[in-house]
Amino acid sequence: MRSPLSLIAPAFAVALLLPAATSLVHGPYELQHWFETRHERTKSAEGPRLTPSLVIDTFQDLLHNDLGFWHGTGENLTLQHEPGSMRLFPTHPDQNFHTQFNAYGCFSLLPWQDHFLHVVFEGNEDFTVSLNENNAECSPNRAPFPGVPDSVQASRYVMRTREESSDDGTDDWDEGFKLVQQPEMKKPPPTNNSYRDDVHDDNGQAPAYSERTELFIPLSHFRINQHRVVSVSFSGFYTKEPILIHRVEFVSNIPAPSPSNNQFTIPEKLPTGQLVLRCSRPNSFAFGIDDGQPQYAQDVMRILDEEDVRATFFAVAAGLRDSSTNFTTFYQEMLKKGHQVALHSNTHPRMEGLPTLGQIDQEIVQSMLTMRDELGIDCTSIFPHHVGMTLTKDPNSLILPPPFGTVGARMRQQLAQHIRNPYIVNWSVDVEDWLWANTSTPEKQLEAFYRDIARGGNLAVMHFLDPTTVAYLPQFIRHVRDAGLHIMRVDQCLEDPNSPNL
Ligand SMILES: *[C@@H]1O[C@H](CO)[C@@H](O)[C@H](O)[C@H]1NC(C)=O
Ligand SMILES: *[C@@H]1O[C@H](CO)[C@@H](O)[C@H](O)[C@H]1NC(C)=O
Ligand SMILES: *[C@@H]1O[C@H](CO)[C@@H](O)[C@H](O)[C@H]1NC(C)=O
Ligand SMILES: *[C@@H]1O[C@H](CO)[C@@H](O)[C@H](O)[C@H]1NC(C)=O
Ligand SMILES: *[C@@H]1O[C@H](CO)[C@@H](O)[C@H](O)[C@H]1NC(C)=O
Ligand SMILES: [Zn+2]
């Protein structure tokens, strides 16, 4: 079952669209006037780079960044703004904060491809940093919505600098930084969607900083389409401490390792798997069928038989081990019929929100063991991801749809440690059964399905939790066929070399 992430997708889209009404439309290369040449603290060996730094956000404005575009949350994340900083009060791994490069569209990172994403912040380091990528059409009316093909774990890239005495700021952002310093992180306010403006309630003077925390992340560590970037985002929070962000920018150089910064160097890029939102095979379509209710399983099987369609099932391991569900027998039969059965975690938590890597590992290890023991799908590796996972015959090629669509850097890294280049399956067609199945208008599931296909989506996610969703399955299938698409398993639609021939 998913929902919160999907629930916010429309909100995110609205948020993306809002600034469009008030901003000029900018193309990818029309931001030159925003560039700011910045005094470099350290010259690289080759001398200064050609592309100057790009200041993205110094949080001078409540709703807009330094590029003139929207920043904020499309979700249920409490924010507190004062000129020069934005404080986030995360409570949930699905929450996120975006600062955009454009009103809505695609921004090209090409001029900065050798640069570093630099973030000056205080507080919680337990989050994921992402560059969100738009769809191929750079359009809000196409599927999928902007997604996160790759992300990094913030805490791996933190540089801590001891501050000496501080008044010789040679560097513009030093000053900005000092202006907004806060004595301590405040307790999170009650969570709602509002901005808080009661931030000046500290009862003392701010002590001088003794330590500055910054992130330096090479843009090359984000494996994304460089031409279709929408925003920088912070998400995947796995603790609830506030985060105070002062500055987001691209810089061409990083400080040299020194005793004052604990000999900081950039960590190696960890593998993070491949996030999949669409089928790659031309004219293909795939149904990813998540967890469901045992009593509807036979109906799903009968419909797929009648329609002669093969699909991919994402099975929760705990359900397989529970013999009262009959799921093991069911999935064994589905495997014989040529369907694919793939991983969907052990207990279906939001894996990225689990506090320890050990817990994320357990979700993956236990689900792999269960897949082997119950279904004979053998994995020699361990995958620590929680969202959703699909196993192909090749244990090195694991497909995983994350429960709730919650995808963060730790989950991805852990997964990729155990499975070489895993697929992490998201979707571009959402039946929205989680939204409409139990309402007086269940037919909205059909509308959602048709809408996403009209937008170009070809990888669907659905559950068999509700009889209405199952009852619509034949109509979904017919609609896909009428659109001229060929229905197949997820591994086949991804052209996985280990997938069975069509
Ligand atoms: C917002 O967060 C609060 C507290 O975490 C939660 O109770 C509420 O359901 C959330 N609302 C939405 C729309 O996600
Ligand atoms: C997964 O897909 C949904 C719907 O397109 C999108 O809102 C979400 O951002 C995607 N998740 C990631 C990690 O890309
Ligand atoms: C959110 O918090 C603000 C300030 O505390 C309050 O005025 C407002 O009513 C709250 N909104 C909701 C939906 O709880
Ligand atoms: C369990 O699943 C098998 C295989 O699909 C099926 O033949 C059998 O009828 C199911 N049993 C129950 C009680 O649903
Ligand atoms: C609809 O409600 C039933 C009963 O509360 C629940 O078991 C089922 O999971 C719900 N369906 C969906 C799709 O949320
Ligand atoms: Zn699920």
Side-chain angles (χ1 to χ4, degrees):
M1 259 202 273
R2 292 161 305 116
S3 65
L5 182 68
S6 315
L7 200 59
I8 63 83
F12 178 44
V14 169
L16 285 165
L17 284 165
L18 274 177
T22 51
S23 308
L24 298 172
V25 176
H26 293 258
Y29 294 100
E30 293 176 59
L31 291 166
Q32 304 300 329
H33 54 294
W34 295 108
F35 298 177
E36 177 182 317
T37 310
R38 175 175 170 276
H39 173 70
E40 302 298 345
R41 320 189 88 198
T42 310
K43 299 292 179 201
S44 72
E46 312 89 64
R49 308 289 179 97
L50 292 178
T51 306
S53 298
L54 174 67
V55 176
I56 299 162
D57 211 334
T58 59
F59 303 96
Q60 301 306 318
D61 183 83
L62 172 66
L63 292 175
H64 298 93
N65 62 22
D66 294 42
L67 304 177
F69 298 109
W70 177 79
H71 62 197
T73 177
E75 302 178 37
N76 194 3
L77 169 61
T78 299
L79 305 173
Q80 184 178 310
H81 175 259
E82 63 181 289
S85 70
M86 186 72 84
R87 198 183 303 262
L88 320 182
F89 296 92
T91 55
H92 199 283
D94 288 347
Q95 295 169 331
N96 58 42
F97 179 85
H98 294 268
T99 185
Q100 283 185 214
F101 293 101
N102 211 323
Y104 188 100
C106 289
F107 178 79
S108 176
L109 288 187
L110 215 50
W112 295 276
Q113 57 183 335
D114 299 327
H115 280 51
F116 301 83
L117 175 64
H118 178 218
V119 180
V120 183
F121 75 107
E122 291 170 71
N124 190 342
E125 300 170 6
D126 300 337
F127 60 93
T128 286
V129 182
S130 311
L131 294 175
N132 281 34
E133 181 183 303
N134 209 338
N135 54 44
E137 295 83 5
C138 303
S139 162
N141 299 319
R142 301 296 291 171
F145 281 131
V148 182
D150 197 10
S151 53
V152 305
Q153 181 184 348
S155 57
R156 299 187 65 237
Y157 295 84
V158 173
M159 184 183 89
R160 279 172 245 281
T161 312
R162 288 182 162 287
E163 296 278 81
E164 309 293 325
S165 70
S166 49
D167 276 358
D168 58 338
T170 50
D171 182 313
D172 51 3
W173 66 263
D174 273 346
E175 264 178 53
F177 185 73
K178 281 164 197 148
L179 280 175
V180 296
Q181 64 185 291
Q182 294 287 315
E184 61 184 45
M185 304 304 288
K186 287 194 280 287
K187 289 278 183 292
T191 300
N192 68 15
N193 290 315
S194 67
Y195 288 88
R196 284 167 56 96
D197 54 10
D198 55 336
V199 296
H200 297 290
D201 57 359
D202 296 308
N203 52 1
Q205 316 83 328
Y209 273 126
S210 56
E211 192 177 76
R212 170 199 292 149
T213 47
E214 303 163 68
L215 303 175
F216 286 99
I217 307 166
L219 293 182
S220 61
H221 282 204
F222 298 99
R223 289 192 319 173
I224 64 167
N225 184 319
Q226 290 194 319
H227 302 285
R228 310 208 308 240
V229 182
V230 180
S231 63
V232 177
S233 71
F234 305 92
S235 63
F237 309 100
Y238 54 98
T239 62
K240 296 183 180 174
E241 292 303 311
I243 304 165
L244 184 62
I245 307 177
H246 297 287
R247 189 173 185 98
V248 181
E249 64 184 337
F250 294 158
V251 297
S252 55
N253 290 294
I254 63 168
S258 73
S260 70
N261 66 22
N262 299 312
Q263 307 294 336
F264 175 79
T265 55
I266 298 290
E268 64 168 331
K269 162 74 180 167
L270 292 180
T272 43
Q274 287 182 61
L275 187 84
V276 176
L277 298 102
R278 295 178 51 80
C279 294
S280 58
R281 191 187 293 272
N283 295 315
S284 68
F285 189 97
F287 284 95
I289 304 180
D290 265 21
D291 37 306
Q293 292 285 355
Q295 65 264 37
Y296 307 124
Q298 298 296 319
D299 292 334
V300 172
M301 183 189 297
R302 178 182 47 77
I303 292 166
L304 295 179
D305 278 352
E306 283 169 7
E307 301 288 344
D308 193 20
V309 159
R310 239 61 62 207
T312 294
F313 288 85
F314 296 106
V316 177
L320 288 173
R321 290 192 302 270
D322 177 353
S323 59
S324 75
T325 66
N326 197 38
F327 275 146
T328 290
T329 322
F330 169 69
Y331 288 122
Q332 279 169 346
E333 187 170 358
M334 297 312 270
L335 285 168
K336 282 195 207 116
K337 290 174 185 285
H339 299 280
Q340 183 184 21
V341 180
L343 301 170
H344 193 42
S345 81
N346 187 40
T347 63
H348 208 265
R350 287 182 172 77
M351 286 172 75
E352 189 65 25
L354 295 174
T356 68
L357 288 180
Q359 286 165 290
I360 297 177
D361 268 338
Q362 277 308 300
E363 280 294 323
I364 292 163
V365 173
Q366 292 307 322
S367 52
M368 289 182 78
L369 290 174
T370 300
M371 293 294 267
R372 185 196 65 190
D373 294 347
E374 304 285 332
L375 298 177
I377 300 176
D378 205 5
C379 323
T380 53
S381 330
I382 299 166
F383 47 86
H385 182 131
H386 154 235
V387 179
M389 322 178 216
T390 306
L391 274 176
T392 64
K393 281 182 186 156
D394 176 1
N396 292 323
S397 174
L398 179 75
I399 309 179
L400 167 138
F404 308 96
T406 305
V407 179
R410 290 188 310 151
M411 170 185 79
R412 299 180 59 144
Q413 287 166 190
Q414 289 301 109
L415 180 65
Q417 265 183 26
H418 300 292
I419 307 287
R420 181 152 30 94
N421 205 18
Y423 292 112
I424 299 161
V425 178
N426 208 358
W427 57 87
S428 46
V429 177
D430 187 352
V431 172
E432 295 182 352
D433 44 356
W434 50 273
L435 185 56
W436 304 114
N438 277 339
T439 68
S440 58
T441 54
E443 67 278 6
K444 297 257 187 194
Q445 295 172 89
L446 282 170
E447 285 175 31
F449 188 85
Y450 299 162
R451 176 204 62 209
D452 283 349
I453 295 202
R455 290 174 172 174
N458 62 10
L459 179 47
V461 63
M462 62 175 279
H463 305 77
F464 52 102
L465 291 165
D466 193 275
T468 61
T469 315
V470 176
Y472 290 135
L473 183 52
Q475 281 163 270
F476 296 153
I477 292 170
R478 251 165 264 146
H479 188 82
V480 171
R481 288 184 165 148
D482 288 348
L485 301 174
H486 185 23
I487 303 171
M488 59 193 73
R489 301 163 26 151
V490 171
D491 57 348
Q492 292 171 322
C493 94
L494 295 177
E495 302 174 272
D496 185 314
N498 301 297
S499 62
N501 291 331
L502 289 173

